[in-house]
Amino acid sequence: MIVTTAQLFQHAYGKYAVGAYNINNAEQAMGLFRGCIQSQAPFIIQLSKGARKYTDKKILEAIIRAAEQIFPEAIFAVHLDHGDEATCYDCINSGFYSSVMIDASHEPFDQNVAITKRVVEAAHKRGISVEAELGQLGGVEEDIKVEDGHATLTNPEEARKFIQLTGCDSLACAIGTSHGAFKFKGKQSLHFDVLKKIMALVPGFPLVMHGSSSVPKEEVDRINAAGGKIAGSMGVDVNEYLPAAKLGVTKINIDTDGRLVWTRVHREFFRDKPAEFDFRSPGKIFMEEYSKFIASRNQLLGSAGQIPDLRKSLGK
Ligand code: G3H
Ligand code: 13P
Ligand code: ZN
């Protein structure tokens, strides 16, 4: 069942974080739905601009609608990840999305406010909620690369002002994470001090954490042992997901870790079975492994086991 992002946030706020997972194809969708049913967790499916272009946005929409029928127990929202203004309007007008993200965080504050405000006005007319971003994460996201040293943490007072000026429904904050597989050279903690200040200024307002993959060392080691060349790096400490959720982080974005699962499965499969060429064989292993990965992440986010109570509170 597709619900609004607002409904998911209302249930989760302050207790657990809803996992937001990107999909690009049918295998990812199957693994995601299976993992969320196994762990009884509500979730958000995210489609990036790149995902919408990879095959065709209509294919993804059809996959999601089919999955909704195949897995009637699932409770989820559909979200545009890192949208620009034009893509936000396309998604708002399509009538398919529960929420959109307008990412104008690379613009100066006033410009970010102006763009976000326009998107909020258009979205709210259609009952769609808007995630905006303030502060800059490090790493690479599609066509934008933020060089080391240029990432800036969200200023709590600016966050309060930004939310008031734009009317956005949730805010992606930079609290020390970064996109992609190459996050931190050593162990690094989230900036809980910044998060606490933001929560104190905007109590009850849902915050979003991007760049939340953990880049598991075992996964990277297995990929490299099977011919990969992924430089060692550390990601977000998975034990910090729940403490962040208690401080208002209601949506946690995880994409890179799923790509690592895909890469490990396929590299190991073709290393061990060099004569194989039926892509369905590794595809089946990937769906199984991805579903296990999703279920394990939902345990750490605290979203596992929430479906029955959420269903009750939705009156369904
Ligand atoms: O933050 C970006 C997400 O990981 C999506 O990546 O834009 O390559 O689809 P993508
Ligand atoms: P990761 O690259 O850490 O998985 O972050 C994904 C993300 O923020 C998607 O918007
Ligand atoms: Zn992101």
Side-chain angles (χ1 to χ4, degrees):
M1 168 176 43
I2 299 182
V3 296
T4 67
T5 306
Q7 285 170 313
L8 295 183
F9 284 175
Q10 204 176 2
H11 189 255
Y13 185 85
K15 290 185 290 186
Y16 64 91
V18 182
Y21 302 103
N22 295 64
I23 69 155
N24 294 269
N25 61 20
E27 289 82 357
Q28 270 185 311
M30 290 303 282
L32 175 58
F33 276 81
R34 284 180 188 156
C36 288
I37 295 302
Q38 275 160 26
S39 57
Q40 288 289 289
F43 60 103
I44 294 173
I45 292 191
Q46 309 206 113
L47 305 176
S48 70
K49 282 181 286 166
R52 285 159 48 91
K53 275 187 249 154
Y54 170 54
T55 49
D56 190 291
K57 60 188 179 184
K58 291 202 182 87
I59 299 268
L60 288 179
E61 191 175 325
I63 288 173
I64 294 168
R65 288 205 189 280
E68 189 186 11
Q69 288 178 10
I70 299 165
F71 302 96
E73 251 192 285
I75 303 185
F76 64 101
V78 183
H79 178 77
L80 167 69
D81 190 27
H82 292 285
D84 53 26
E85 197 172 356
T87 312
C88 282
Y89 296 143
D90 189 52
C91 293
I92 290 165
N93 294 331
S94 76
F96 179 59
Y97 290 73
S98 321
S99 50
V100 294
M101 175 190 191
I102 173 67
D103 182 357
S105 57
H106 46 282
E107 301 284 356
F109 183 85
D110 289 347
Q111 272 294 100
N112 189 357
V113 167
I115 296 167
T116 302
K117 210 166 161 222
R118 288 200 292 270
V119 172
V120 167
E121 271 163 21
H124 285 184
K125 276 191 203 142
R126 307 281 296 251
I128 292 163
S129 54
V130 177
E131 174 184 324
E133 180 165 337
L134 188 66
Q136 278 214 276
L137 273 67
V140 187
E141 55 188 66
E142 203 164 351
D143 36 8
I144 298 172
K145 181 170 184 343
V146 180
E147 301 292 345
D148 279 356
H150 285 79
T152 46
L153 298 185
T154 304
N155 174 307
E157 183 47 43
E158 272 189 6
R160 189 197 58 77
K161 203 167 137 199
F162 183 87
I163 292 164
Q164 192 189 27
L165 290 171
T166 61
C168 67
D169 305 282
S170 61
L171 187 69
C173 300
I175 50 167
T177 62
S178 90
H179 285 107
F182 311 105
K183 297 193 193 298
F184 321 123
K185 292 196 180 79
K187 189 172 158 40
Q188 194 170 310
S189 177
L190 299 177
H191 290 262
F192 284 107
D193 49 336
V194 177
L195 193 51
K196 271 186 200 146
K197 281 186 197 151
I198 299 173
M199 197 206 196
L201 289 172
V202 288
F205 189 84
L207 307 173
V208 179
M209 194 164 85
H210 282 245
S212 307
S213 280
S214 65
V215 195
K217 186 175 178 321
E218 325 78 75
E219 204 72 281
V220 172
D221 287 349
R222 282 176 72 173
I223 290 169
N224 289 345
K229 255 194 185 158
I230 295 190
S233 161
M234 293 189 90
V236 173
D237 179 348
V238 292
N239 296 311
E240 293 191 340
Y241 290 159
L242 252 190
K246 310 272 176 194
L247 291 171
V249 173
T250 318
K251 171 173 176 277
I252 290 194
N253 289 11
I254 299 173
D255 184 25
T256 295
D257 283 350
R259 296 182 188 203
L260 293 175
V261 174
W262 186 95
T263 306
R264 182 252 300 167
V265 164
H266 288 82
R267 280 204 178 275
E268 288 185 346
F269 181 85
F270 288 110
R271 174 195 63 191
D272 299 340
K273 294 192 165 63
E276 275 272 0
F277 55 92
D278 183 350
F279 56 81
R280 290 170 300 194
S281 307
K284 276 187 201 157
I285 303 172
F286 169 70
M287 287 189 270
E288 176 63 19
E289 289 294 297
Y290 194 54
S291 70
K292 283 195 232 157
F293 163 76
I294 293 287
S296 71
R297 283 297 175 268
N298 290 339
Q299 294 292 344
L300 294 160
L301 297 170
S303 61
Q306 297 288 346
I307 282 187
D309 190 63
L310 173 60
R311 197 176 288 285
K312 233 187 276 162
S313 73
L314 292 171
K316 306 275 179 187

